[in-house]
Amino acid sequence: MRRIVKLAYNVVRSNLTELSYPYRLSFSLTNRCQSKCIMCNIWQKPVVEELTLGEIDQIFSRYRRFSWVHLTGGELFMRDDFADIVKAIDRNSPGLYLLNFPTNGYQTDKIVAMIHEILEHTAIPRIMVSVSLDGPRELHDRIRGLPGSWERAVATFQQLRKLNSGRFSVYLGYTLQDSNLYSFEETVITARNELGKLTNDEIHVNIAHISGHYYANSNFNGIPEPNATRKVMDLIIGSRKRKRFDPVSILEYRYQKLARTYQQSGTVPLTCQAGAASCFVDPAGNVYPCSIFALPIGSLRENEYDLAKIWKTANKSSIRQLIKEGSCPGCWTPCEAYQTILANLLSKGVSKL
């Protein structure tokens, strides 16, 4: 109860004033990945000296204010110490309520075993996992550049769904792009044939983005056309059941509704919280305001692994001002959109949704 109250407190405060510290972290643990996705070149990035388990422990022992941590990669389960990393985060984060992360689902046995370990040895109240599935069998494997990845992703989802509880939940993650824009319904049908039962509410949908410093996909030309995307999003939204008292369902609904606005205007529909309520850390410990804006705030390795120290710098303040002025690339990725939606609950644009 104490942890969710702390998260709620941070959300309420972010609606009333700009936070002077981040309560949400997006943390990329590795660039390593078996997939060779057409919309993401993380797998092609140069190998970096990843933060070690010991270094990660230091980061979270020095900054203990996170209520929500989003872990990402690369493929997280390429790190053999992933479960130990989660334990270290939990051990040092007394206010942590929500942990979420994606996986390509390729290493089914390893993924399921590690999540069992995480559930058994941590006290995190809510853990959410998304297994990427970007099309029916052949299309998914082509997008992911990895033969057999559809079967493994579905198998991983099927195994993890057995663990669903009030504490743990698993979803499929679908990234809209030119190559699969009109394949959502076929994807659901194909997966349902394998799984026996699957609702659209078990699938999280987002839109492909460009990011030079994170995705390394500046040359990607598969961002879907806005009008076509809006029509597809309308169909997806209409197929979902709105659970009025389910925070996940509400947040997902609002994200998708505002995604249409973003696609049409090309601008962020609400005042972004990057560099205020949230930040992004790459595998080498470099801190950015988010996964899209390529201006680094500072290096954790060069600042005694102390995020609070970096957060007080003039550089961080100047980067935050650029974001407030709309002088950043602009995006509507879930990594940045969710806390932005939560910080604008009193906004007319959101309350009408």
Side-chain angles (χ1 to χ4, degrees):
M1 179 61 73
R2 176 177 54 84
R3 297 191 186 206
I4 194 170
V5 169
K6 182 63 176 179
L7 174 58
Y9 172 76
N10 286 321
V11 170
V12 171
R13 283 202 64 224
S14 69
N15 276 267
L16 302 175
T17 186
E18 181 165 299
L19 297 184
S20 58
Y21 60 88
Y23 73 85
R24 186 179 192 267
L25 170 68
S26 287
F27 189 1
S28 178
L29 295 178
T30 184
N31 291 333
R32 289 176 285 161
C33 190
Q34 310 98 326
S35 300
K36 297 176 173 59
C37 300
I38 62 174
M39 71 286 195
C40 168
N41 291 323
I42 290 177
W43 58 277
Q44 290 184 322
K45 293 171 74 171
V47 176
V48 299
E49 186 181 348
E50 298 171 350
L51 290 164
T52 65
L53 173 61
E55 289 177 305
I56 293 169
D57 187 81
Q58 289 188 67
I59 292 168
F60 284 90
S61 67
R62 284 167 169 74
Y63 189 90
R64 299 166 62 87
R65 306 184 72 166
F66 289 121
S67 294
W68 183 350
V69 172
H70 166 68
L71 300 177
T72 187
E75 169 55 31
L76 292 167
F77 292 92
M78 295 288 283
R79 289 197 61 148
D80 293 335
D81 58 355
F82 177 64
D84 291 326
I85 290 172
V86 174
K87 292 177 202 175
I89 293 172
D90 176 51
R91 183 171 60 249
N92 291 298
S93 305
L96 180 61
Y97 175 74
L98 174 60
L99 174 77
N100 70 298
F101 52 87
T103 174
N104 61 18
Y106 195 71
Q107 298 170 287
T108 301
D109 292 343
K110 184 177 184 180
I111 293 167
V112 173
M114 280 195 173
I115 290 179
H116 267 292
E117 184 178 351
I118 289 167
L119 291 172
E120 183 177 352
H121 295 287
T122 70
I124 304 168
R126 290 286 284 125
I127 299 174
M128 300 172 61
V129 179
S130 63
V131 181
S132 299
L133 199 73
D134 291 321
R137 191 185 308 266
E138 292 182 3
L139 177 58
H140 173 82
D141 286 5
R142 185 164 68 250
I143 289 173
R144 293 275 154 178
L146 185 62
S149 59
W150 187 92
E151 289 184 1
R152 295 199 183 197
V154 170
T156 298
F157 175 78
Q158 189 169 36
Q159 291 296 314
L160 292 180
R161 195 161 61 167
K162 296 176 183 178
L163 303 178
N164 275 349
S165 66
R167 183 186 177 207
F168 176 81
S169 52
V170 62
Y171 299 86
L172 292 174
Y174 190 88
T175 301
L176 283 175
Q177 52 201 288
D178 273 348
S179 56
N180 70 359
L181 186 60
Y182 299 106
S183 300
F184 180 79
E185 185 176 356
E186 184 182 357
T187 302
V188 175
I189 293 171
T190 306
R192 188 178 291 148
N193 289 338
E194 186 75 18
L195 296 166
K197 180 181 179 182
L198 180 71
T199 69
N200 286 8
D201 296 275
E202 294 179 276
I203 306 174
H204 285 182
V205 179
N206 63 83
I207 302 169
H209 277 72
I210 301 292
S211 171
H213 84 87
Y214 177 42
Y215 299 120
N217 65 346
S218 298
N219 295 324
F220 178 59
N221 59 4
I223 302 297
E225 192 273 328
N227 286 326
T229 304
R230 177 182 58 79
K231 293 176 182 178
V232 170
M233 290 293 286
D234 283 344
L235 292 173
I236 293 173
I237 292 170
S239 71
R240 297 174 62 88
K241 294 180 180 179
R242 290 189 64 184
K243 302 176 183 178
R244 296 185 178 276
F245 301 104
D246 180 0
V248 175
S249 177
I250 293 170
L251 198 56
E252 180 82 356
Y253 176 79
R254 290 178 171 176
Y255 167 79
Q256 292 178 2
K257 291 281 283 188
L258 288 168
R260 301 182 312 169
T261 304
Y262 169 75
Q263 284 291 99
Q264 289 294 112
S265 66
T267 58
V268 181
L270 300 169
T271 302
C272 182
Q273 289 296 296
S278 61
C279 63
F280 174 86
V281 175
D282 75 9
N286 299 304
V287 182
Y288 294 84
C290 67
S291 61
I292 304 297
F293 201 8
L295 284 183
I297 296 174
S299 165
L300 286 164
R301 280 178 166 151
E302 295 174 2
N303 286 275
E304 302 173 315
Y305 304 99
D306 189 345
L307 179 62
K309 182 179 179 181
I310 295 173
W311 215 247
K312 295 175 183 177
T313 62
N315 185 45
K316 180 266 170 185
S317 298
S318 64
I319 290 174
R320 174 59 189 163
Q321 186 60 37
L322 290 174
I323 294 170
K324 291 167 67 175
E325 293 170 356
S327 299
C328 63
C331 73
W332 197 242
T333 72
C335 298
E336 275 61 62
Y338 287 167
Q339 61 269 29
T340 294
I341 293 170
L342 291 173
N344 288 273
L345 295 178
L346 304 180
S347 164
K348 291 181 179 180
V350 174
S351 62
K352 289 181 180 180
L353 296 178

